[in-house]
Amino acid sequence: MLSPFVTHVEIIPVSAFSGVIAQCHFSVADYQDDLFALAGYYFPEHLASAVAKRRAEYLAGRFLARQVLASFGHQNFILLRGEDRAPIWPNGIAGAISHNLDTALCAAQFDHGTTGVGIDVETQMPPKRAEELWSGIVDDAECLWLRQQPQSFNLLLTLVFSAKESLFKALYPQVRCYFDFLDARIVALDMQQCTFELELKKTLTLCYQAGQCFTGRFWQKGDNVTTLIHF
Ligand SMILES: CC(C)(COP(=O)(O)OP(=O)(O)OC[C@H]1O[C@@H](n2cnc3c(N)ncnc32)[C@H](O)[C@@H]1OP(=O)(O)O)[C@@H](O)C(=O)NCCC(=O)NCCS
């Protein structure tokens, strides 16, 4: 329907995830504002001064959310954005959206009260960028541990960055407070099973306390690193 702006729409199966993950490719060069109406959305006011890339990624995410939510019985749902920029999911659904240069993803599952879903796609950062950015993403101990692994530091840092953003998106709808990259740490990474574990270093609420661990999955395709956390 939105082709050639949106192409390669696919459902990504992930074992042990009972929800739905949809992914697409989007082309900023093929983006036009009229596509919002075609997708069944009003053009949002908050995008009025946004550049084409931001408009395009927002629409691609909303397009996917519509497909995903329809599979849970929410036909033609208009996914609005809250004051805090978090999407306002329908009652009974937990979900998350992510986009990078040309890929968008939406994941959602039924919410049983304390369900969380976080998804994040990142383009692998180059080695120089990893050296510039690491101290904002991991602490000294995590950094040392990552450097001791056989894989390249920039790949692993990208993965941990993405994992922490997934954790933020999964927890934010329940904790409703900002927490930083250094408020969680990577405690396990299995490159064969494609799983990781993050531990909260800070207590966020009574339900989410320091020491609590969250497992996630990741997958790589080309330069893209995608992480998923659900609980
Ligand atoms: C919110 C944040 C996680 C988004 O990640 P990003 O890599 O910049 O961008 P992505 O494309 O992956 O995700 C953007 C989407 O996140 C969602 N999002 C924004 N704020 C959110 C929030 N507070 N809670 C949940 N989801 C949020 C939106 O759907 C947004 O897309 P949209 O505006 O098109 O709907 C990031 O900008 C941020 O603020 N990070 C700092 C907090 C953090 O990650 N701490 C780590 C704790 S261990």
Side-chain angles (χ1 to χ4, degrees):
M1 178 182 69
L2 298 188
S3 166
F5 166 59
V6 161
T7 55
H8 302 88
V9 182
E10 57 181 319
I11 300 295
I12 302 194
V14 172
S15 62
F17 180 59
S18 61
V20 177
I21 303 172
Q23 177 180 283
C24 71
H25 180 277
F26 65 92
S27 154
V28 181
D30 292 305
Y31 168 81
Q32 296 166 26
D33 289 344
D34 297 353
L35 292 171
F36 269 87
L38 254 185
Y41 278 92
Y42 290 108
F43 183 82
E45 256 182 59
H46 63 83
L47 292 183
S49 55
V51 296
K53 161 72 167 75
R54 174 65 189 132
R55 297 176 184 207
E57 67 181 23
Y58 186 87
L59 178 58
R62 260 44 191 187
F63 165 77
L64 288 179
R66 188 161 270 214
Q67 323 289 312
V68 168
L69 289 173
S71 69
F72 290 95
H74 294 278
Q75 305 293 339
N76 300 324
F77 189 84
I78 306 252
L79 184 66
L80 297 175
R81 189 181 89 131
E83 298 272 294
D84 47 16
R85 295 174 44 218
I88 305 173
W89 299 95
N91 281 340
I93 300 287
I97 288 175
S98 184
H99 20 61
N100 66 355
L101 297 174
D102 56 9
T103 300
L105 284 140
C106 174
Q109 68 177 359
F110 282 118
D111 179 6
H112 304 293
T114 53
T115 304
V117 178
I119 197 158
D120 187 78
V121 58
E122 296 295 329
T123 309
Q124 187 176 327
M125 61 181 95
K128 188 165 175 282
R129 192 99 182 104
E131 293 306 330
E132 288 162 0
L133 295 182
W134 72 261
S135 59
I137 302 168
V138 291
D139 65 20
D140 290 350
E142 288 174 287
C143 180
L144 188 63
W145 184 75
L146 291 179
R147 288 188 194 278
Q148 287 165 350
Q149 306 306 310
Q151 294 79 19
S152 65
F153 179 66
N154 57 310
L155 168 66
L156 296 181
L157 190 69
T158 307
L159 207 167
V160 174
F161 179 77
S162 177
K164 290 185 177 185
E165 291 219 313
S166 279
L167 182 64
F168 180 80
K169 291 180 197 173
L171 283 175
Y172 184 83
Q174 289 179 56
V175 302
R176 291 279 155 197
C177 66
Y178 178 85
F179 57 106
D180 188 65
F181 289 95
L182 301 184
D183 293 330
R185 65 186 183 108
I186 183 93
V187 290
L189 187 55
D190 185 328
M191 297 303 283
Q192 267 71 51
Q193 299 292 321
C194 295
T195 57
F196 61 83
E197 194 172 356
L198 291 175
E199 181 189 318
L200 271 183
K201 287 165 72 181
K202 178 181 169 180
T203 294
L204 303 174
T205 63
L206 269 179
C207 293
Y208 297 106
Q209 306 229 358
Q212 189 159 347
C213 289
F214 299 85
T215 51
R217 307 192 147 268
F218 67 91
W219 56 96
Q220 277 177 266
K221 194 170 180 194
D223 258 4
N224 282 358
V225 177
T226 306
T227 56
L228 171 78
I229 290 182
H230 62 97
F231 47 84

